[in-house]
Amino acid sequence: MTPQEGIPLDRFLTETLREYPGATGTFVDLMQSIALAGKLISSRVNRAGLSGMLGATGSTNVQGERVQKLDAYANDVFIRALEHRGHTCMIVSEEEGGVVRVPEQWHSGRYVVAVDPLDGSTNIDVNATIGTIFAIFRRISEEGTPAGDADALRPGTDQVAAGYLIYGSGTVLVLATEQGVHGFTLDPLVGEFFLSHPNIRYPERAQIFSINEAYAHEWTPGVREYVDTCKAEGGWTARYIGSLVADFHRNLLRGGVFLYPGTVDKPEGKLRLLYEAFPLAYIAERAGGAATDGRSRILDITPTELHDRTPLVIGSADAVQAATARMVGQTE
Ligand code: P6P
């Protein structure tokens, strides 16, 4: 245990962000709201089988995907947790077609939150690990006025923080800021997150590759070459849960690379830029890793639409660079 391990989230944030010029405590308050949403979702996920929360709602979302009951619950919890505290002006959610502006009766605050309220929904009914992913931007428009699309359609480098909650054997909140990447474990008996993974950094060597081999027949030559090289080299293992947060988190702690490349019929890939690739790319880079779309740095991309998709290669820097070099090489 390092001296800091075991301290609660709000104390950690207050102490580490005190050095931030202009820190007003608003960010700490925002993170407390996100942590509250995470506690509520964690509790509901853990009891889903007992509270009629398994299965689909019967509706489809803007992505054309069947909305699971827990997707809808997580989306509602996040919006309600963020909209009334005066720190947020607008929410972009995977489950909402357009932006969700804070209602006029509440202060339109300084932060924009882009969120995938519950990622990995296909795993819910089989009790596999799922998670919430969020990106935090400071608004461009004037605080107190209604936020606009321009506050959301920004390059990934505009993020001021990013994180995820992973609902697995335990619930862990991983938060990345300028100060680094730190993990906090929820003690459900106390209802508080405590620092459990200080200063997370990718291990020196990647040993895991994560890709859905069912699509191997659609891979471009560069992807095929990279995967075959890992297999031929030895010393690698394949792990793929089919839940982005779970695959990302394991690779972050153990060293590895996750690939969801474009395919012949979906060259833009499946994963969303604003609330999946951006936050995880921000976290990966702060932890000494890297993230590309198979050609360029994810964080340098500016979305044209809220729900833009992107191919994603993310994880240990060396592995991401090696995979990307193969994928770029295939087209030159
Ligand atoms: P496939 C879950 O539905 C998700 O969006 C990510 O969490 C996950 O990495 C990916 O899709 C899995 O997609 O096509 O391999 O099932």
Side-chain angles (χ1 to χ4, degrees), residues 119-122 212 215 240 242-245 247 258 260 270-272 276:
D119 176 71
S121 339
T122 51
N212 188 337
Y215 307 142
Y240 191 79
S243 181
L244 177 57
V245 175
D247 284 315
F258 171 94
Y260 203 108
K270 172 182 183 182
L271 301 173
R272 287 75 170 192
E276 289 177 333

Side-chain angles (χ1 to χ4, degrees), residues 176-250:
T177 64
E178 284 294 315
Q179 311 286 90
V181 183
H182 304 280
F184 303 83
T185 297
L186 177 65
D187 179 341
L189 298 179
V190 177
E192 183 58 78
F193 284 97
F194 294 91
L195 183 65
S196 52
H197 301 71
N199 299 307
I200 300 175
R201 301 282 298 173
Y202 278 99
E204 197 55 42
R205 183 182 172 283
Q207 54 186 342
I208 301 167
F209 67 85
S210 307
I211 188 167
N212 188 337
E213 298 242 11
Y215 307 142
H217 61 293
E218 296 183 44
W219 291 347
T220 54
V223 175
R224 154 64 57 219
E225 279 172 28
Y226 178 70
V227 171
D228 287 349
T229 302
C230 290
K231 293 177 179 175
E233 255 177 18
W236 291 83
T237 190
R239 288 287 183 274
Y240 191 79
I241 298 174
S243 181
L244 177 57
V245 175
D247 284 315
F248 177 86
H249 186 68
R250 180 206 54 244

